[in-house]
Amino acid sequence: MTIRVIDSGARSVEEALSQATAQLVERPDLALAQAQQLLLRAPGLPPAELIACQALRRLDKAGEALSRLSALATRGHTPPAVLWELAQAASEAGETRQAIAALGSLTRSQPGVAGGWFLLARELRKDGQVEQAWRADLSGVHAASRDPELLDAAVAMHEERLEDAAAMLEARAARVPEDPPACRLRAEIHWRSGDMSAALAMVERAVALAPGFDLARDFLIRLLLQNNRLPDALAHADILVTSPVAGPGHDLLRASVLVRLGDQEQARRIYEKLLDNDPAQPQLWQNLGHVLKTLGRQSDAIRAYREAVRHQSTMGEAWWSLANLKTIKLGVDDIAAMRQALAMIEKHGSSKAEDQFHLHFSLGKALEDAKDYGASFHHYDLGNRLRRAMVQYDAAQFSSEVAATAATFTSAFIASRGQGGCLAPDPIFIVGLPRSGSTLVEQILASHSQIEGTMELPEMMTIASRLQSRVDEGEFPDFRAMVASLTPADRRRLGEEYIDSTRIHRHTDKPLFIDKMPNNWQHVGLIRLILPNAKIVDARRHPLSCCFSGWKQHFARGQTFSYDLTDIGLYYRDYVALMAAYDEAAPGVVHRVLYEEMVGDTDRQVRQLLDHLDLPFEPACLEFYKNDRAVRTASSEQVRQPIFTSGLAQWEHYRPWLGPLMAALRPLL
C-alpha cells in the first residue's frame, strides 16, 4: 500500500507506521495509540487506519474494527490486506455473510493464497453452505500445492531428510499456526519417523482445520486402520465418500474399512457398483473375489478372480487367490497362462514386485495338483526366496524372546501375581501356527449356539506390542520386570481394553466369542494375567505337515517366519517349547486339539473340546460345514465341507527336498 505524504515529515510517518506494525502482536494497545496519532496528523491515511483496525481486533473490539474497515473498504479499490482484515473482523463479530463477501473478493483477486480459501471455507461452513465450504477447502489445498516452502519441505521428506523437513515446517508453524497442508505434511514426517501418535494428532489437526481436505482425511483413515481404530476409520470414510469431488478411490477405501470390520456384504455392494460403471478394473474384480470367497460364494469368487486375470494376465495375487481356494485345481491352460505371465514380467517388468512371487506360489500349487512334485517344489522355493528377501526376520532373536517369556511365566511367578485382571469369560482364544487346523476348530465352535465366530483379531497383539515397547524404550530392564510391574488394577484395565476394543467385531448377542489370531500363542501368559476367565485352545498339527503347509502358503501379512524352511522349523520348535513350559506352569489351562486326532475321531474330540469350555454338546458342531458364516482364512473353503483326510501327509511327496526343515525339527521328530 503506497504512502502518499507530501510534506517533509514523510520519513517520520513511514517510521511511525513501521513501529506501530511491529507492536501489533505483543502490544496492540501501543499499536493503536501510534496509529491514532498518525491519523491526527494525516486524517484518513489508509495504512494507519488498517493498523488501527488490526489493533482493535486484537483488543477484542472486532465490532468497532469492522465498522472502520467497512468504511475503509468503500474507498475505491480495496487492497487484499484490507479484505483479509475485514473478513477476520466480520468473523469474530459474528457477521458471517459479510466475512464471506470479503473472502469471496479476496480469493478472486488472490486465488493462490491458501489462507483465504481456508478462512472462506470456515465461514461458509458456519453459514450452512457445506458443499461450498468443502470446495473452498479443496481450493486452499490446491493453492498450497504451489507454496515454495511446502514444496521444499516435501522434497526433503521424499529424499528422507526428515529432520530438515521437520525444521522447515516448525519454523513455518511459528508464523502460520493454523496451516492444514503443513499439518498434513508434518503428520507424514512423524509417520515416516515411526512416531504414530504424533502423526495421528497432527493429521487429525489438519482435518479439524480443513474438514474438506480429502487427502488429509484419506491419510487419517489409513493411519486409523494401521492402529486398528476401525470405528473411527469408518466414521471418516463415511464422510470422505460424500466429498463433492468424490472418486472411486474414496469408495474403495471405505470398502477396505468395511472388510476389516467384517461387513463383507456392504463391501461387496460397493465393488459391484463400481464394476457396473467400469468393468475393466482387475483390482476391483480381485477385491470382489476376496469378499465373495469370505462369504462362501465360491463359484462367484472364481469368476471374479478369472475376470481379474482376463483383464491383467500378470496379476499374481489374483492367480494366487484362485490357487489358494484349495478346493479347485488350476488346469493345463492355467499353468501355460501363468508361465507366459512370468515370462512377460521377466521381459518387461511389473509395477508390483509381488506379482512374480505370487505367480510362483500359484504355479507351485497347480503343479502340486498335477502331481509334478519336483516342478512344484521348484516354484514354491522360488516364490519363498523372493518373498524372504523382502521381509526382516531374525530366528535367533525370536527364540531369545520366546525363551524370556517362558522363563517369566513360571508357576511361582503366576502364583505370586494373585488375583487380578478383567473377569469377563467372553473370549475363546484359538492359538497355534497358521495351517494347523485352527480354522476347522473355529468353525466347529462357531456352530455352537453360545459362541460367535469373529476373525483373527489383532487387539491382543496390539496390547502386547505396547507393553513390549516399554522395555524397548528403556522404561524396564527386561520383559519380566515389565510384566511384574503390572498391578491388579493395570491388569483389569488391560483386560477391559481388550473386551471393549473387540466389541466392534461382535454382531450377535451370543455370550462367547472366538479370537483366532494364531500368533497369540506367544501371549498365553499375558492373556491369563489380564483375562483370567478366558479359555485358550491350542490347535496343533504334525510338525512336518504344519510347517510344510505354512511354507507353501503365501500369507498376506504377519507371518514373516514362513518363507524359509529352517526359519519355520525353528519357529515351530519355539512354539512347542513355550506351550510346554506353560503346561508345566499352569496345568490344564490350555486345551490342546491335535488336527490328526480331530480328523480321525471328530465326535470324541469335539465333545472333549466343549467339555473344556464348560459347554453342552450340540450336534451342529459336527455339521460345521453347514455354517454359512464369513471365513477369511486360507482354509475358508475347506471348512465348508465335511472332514476329509487327503491332506494329512502331503509333505511326503516333497520329502527329498525337505532336508533343512527336517533338520530344524529333528528334536521333535
Side-chain angles (χ1 to χ4, degrees):
M1 187 177 297
T2 303
I3 303 172
R4 299 184 181 278
V5 181
I6 300 174
D7 62 21
S8 60
R11 175 174 293 275
S12 61
V13 170
E14 291 176 356
E15 290 175 350
L17 287 170
S18 179
Q19 291 172 3
T21 302
Q23 296 286 356
L24 272 172
V25 175
E26 298 294 334
R27 292 294 305 273
D29 55 332
L30 291 182
L32 177 60
Q34 289 174 333
Q36 297 288 40
Q37 289 177 0
L38 275 170
L39 288 168
L40 289 175
R41 293 169 54 191
L45 182 66
E49 186 67 21
L50 177 59
I51 292 171
C53 294
Q54 291 172 319
L56 286 167
R57 186 171 66 81
R58 285 164 173 77
L59 292 167
D60 296 325
K61 298 179 179 180
E64 186 178 344
L66 179 59
S67 175
R68 293 174 65 167
L69 285 163
S70 299
L72 186 61
T74 61
R75 303 180 189 177
H77 173 71
T78 306
V82 174
L83 289 171
W84 175 258
E85 192 62 32
L86 173 59
Q88 294 190 87
S91 174
E92 293 176 19
E95 298 293 339
T96 303
R97 293 293 178 88
Q98 194 171 353
I100 291 171
L103 289 164
S105 298
L106 178 64
T107 53
R108 283 192 297 272
S109 65
Q110 291 190 319
V113 177
W117 289 108
F118 291 128
L119 185 55
L120 175 58
R122 190 174 74 190
E123 297 305 310
L124 287 167
R125 203 164 276 111
K126 286 182 187 176
D127 199 45
Q129 300 183 56
V130 177
E131 182 173 334
Q132 294 89 332
W134 205 314
R135 292 184 181 278
D137 275 333
L138 291 171
S139 294
V141 174
H142 179 68
S145 69
R146 299 187 293 274
D147 187 299
E149 280 189 339
L150 294 178
L151 288 172
D152 288 345
V155 168
M157 179 185 74
H158 289 296
E159 291 178 350
E160 297 300 321
R161 294 185 289 114
L162 301 183
E163 291 184 3
D164 291 344
M168 294 179 201
L169 293 172
E170 286 172 12
R172 179 186 176 95
R175 303 191 320 272
V176 191
E178 296 191 348
D179 188 350
C183 289
R184 160 66 180 81
L185 200 50
R186 291 175 72 187
E188 184 168 351
I189 291 168
H190 286 306
W191 175 69
R192 289 177 181 235
S193 302
D195 190 344
M196 183 64 79
S197 297
L200 273 168
M202 195 56 67
V203 75
E204 285 173 337
R205 177 167 173 74
V207 171
L209 290 171
F213 192 172
D214 289 350
L215 289 175
R217 195 178 298 275
D218 180 293
F219 186 43
L220 174 57
I221 294 167
R222 295 177 193 278
L223 293 187
L224 291 169
L225 285 173
Q226 289 182 28
N227 284 267
N228 202 42
R229 288 172 52 185
L230 303 183
D232 293 336
L234 182 60
H236 283 286
D238 287 341
I239 294 171
L240 188 60
V241 295
T242 65
S243 170
V245 292
H250 297 166
D251 292 305
L252 284 172
L253 185 56
R254 182 169 181 270
S256 69
V257 177
L258 291 167
V259 166
R260 288 278 300 274
L261 283 165
D263 193 343
Q264 312 293 332
E265 275 292 347
Q266 196 171 170
R268 176 189 62 79
R269 289 193 291 271
I270 292 172
Y271 294 139
E272 289 179 344
K273 181 180 178 181
L274 292 171
L275 285 166
D276 285 342
N277 295 330
D278 184 3
Q281 296 290 325
Q283 185 66 51
L284 281 179
W285 282 113
Q286 178 177 280
N287 291 354
L288 177 60
H290 291 341
V291 298
L292 291 168
K293 182 201 77 167
T294 302
L295 291 167
R297 293 171 52 176
Q298 188 186 68
S299 59
D300 291 332
I302 292 170
R303 174 180 170 270
Y305 290 139
R306 289 205 176 277
E307 281 292 318
V309 297
R310 184 173 73 84
H311 289 290
Q312 185 178 324
S313 63
T314 59
M315 195 168 195
E317 187 181 343
W319 281 112
W320 171 243
S321 299
L322 278 169
N324 200 30
L325 286 170
K326 310 299 185 189
T327 54
I328 69 165
K329 294 183 178 181
L330 298 177
V332 175
D333 291 343
D334 294 316
I335 292 172
M338 287 189 285
R339 282 177 167 157
Q340 184 178 9
L342 268 177
M344 290 174 61
I345 290 173
E346 290 169 2
K347 182 178 180 180
H348 303 293
S350 170
S351 60
K352 290 186 176 180
E354 61 263 30
D355 282 332
Q356 193 170 10
F357 67 70
H358 272 131
L359 281 162
H360 281 302
F361 277 104
S362 305
L363 278 165
K365 175 61 166 62
L367 291 164
E368 178 180 0
D369 291 339
K371 297 182 170 47
D372 188 349
Y373 299 115
S376 168
F377 183 86
H378 172 70
H379 282 288
Y380 280 139
D381 188 49
L382 286 173
N384 274 291
R385 288 177 185 274
L386 288 169
R387 189 70 180 98
R388 182 65 179 88
M390 300 172 66
V391 301
Q392 291 185 338
Y393 178 73
D394 186 329
Q397 179 181 341
F398 183 76
S399 293
S400 297
E401 293 170 0
V402 171
T405 303
T408 295
F409 291 101
T410 62
S411 57
F413 179 84
I414 293 171
S416 71
R417 297 300 90 199
Q419 301 298 312
C422 171
L423 301 181
D426 306 29
I428 300 171
F429 291 91
I430 300 178
V431 304
L433 264 69
R435 310 298 298 147
S436 64
S438 57
T439 303
L440 173 61
V441 175
E442 176 195 36
Q443 188 77 343
I444 289 168
L445 291 180
S447 300
H448 196 282
S449 63
Q450 296 186 47
I451 303 174
E452 179 175 4
T454 56
M455 62 181 91
E456 296 179 356
L457 305 180
E459 280 77 7
M460 186 58 64
M461 301 283 287
T462 299
I463 291 172
S465 177
R466 193 171 72 238
L467 292 175
Q468 179 61 42
S469 70
R470 299 174 67 184
V471 179
D472 298 339
E473 293 169 3
E475 184 179 351
F476 295 98
D478 53 34
F479 178 77
R480 183 186 178 92
M482 182 275 297
V483 174
S485 75
L486 297 175
T487 66
D490 292 333
R491 290 154 51 194
R492 183 180 67 252
R493 175 180 50 79
L494 290 169
E496 289 171 349
E497 176 189 334
Y498 174 85
I499 295 296
D500 290 342
S501 60
T502 55
R503 205 176 306 281
I504 188 68
H505 301 289
R506 301 176 69 177
H507 305 294
T508 72
D509 58 358
K510 295 181 180 181
L512 306 176
F513 73 97
I514 300 168
D515 180 342
K516 201 189 77 67
M517 176 61 76
N519 310 65
N520 280 332
W521 66 264
Q522 302 165 44
H523 308 304
V524 288
L526 176 64
I527 290 170
R528 290 296 293 176
L529 282 183
I530 69 174
L531 291 162
N533 291 330
K535 295 294 195 294
I536 303 173
V537 178
D538 175 19
R540 187 172 298 186
R541 186 178 177 187
H542 184 281
L544 284 168
S545 292
C546 185
C547 292
F548 177 66
S549 184
W551 178 78
K552 65 191 181 79
Q553 172 74 41
H554 177 256
F555 298 98
R557 64 182 66 86
Q559 313 302 348
T560 54
F561 61 87
S562 67
Y563 302 111
D564 179 270
L565 288 171
T566 298
D567 283 348
I568 198 170
L570 295 175
Y571 186 92
Y572 190 99
R573 279 174 55 180
D574 289 333
Y575 147 70
V576 170
L578 182 59
M579 298 308 290
Y582 200 79
D583 286 344
E584 182 178 349
V589 166
V590 177
H591 179 80
R592 189 153 294 111
V593 175
L594 301 180
Y595 178 71
E596 291 76 13
E597 293 183 7
M598 177 63 80
V599 170
D601 189 356
T602 308
D603 184 277
R604 181 165 174 265
Q605 292 297 315
V606 169
R607 290 177 185 274
Q608 289 181 353
L609 174 59
L610 293 175
D611 283 345
H612 175 75
L613 301 178
D614 298 322
L615 292 173
F617 173 78
E618 291 182 359
C621 294
L622 297 179
E623 297 181 324
F624 58 86
Y625 48 87
K626 295 181 180 179
N627 190 334
D628 62 358
R629 59 180 284 269
V631 182
R632 293 180 62 182
T633 67
S635 304
S636 61
E637 299 311 308
Q638 292 167 301
V639 297
R640 302 186 198 282
Q641 303 177 25
I643 292 282
F644 57 90
T645 60
S646 59
L648 285 178
Q650 283 294 97
W651 66 270
E652 289 279 8
H653 300 300
Y654 296 85
R655 182 185 284 271
W657 304 285
L658 297 184
L661 177 59
M662 291 181 173
L665 289 171
R666 185 167 290 117
L668 301 180
L669 298 178

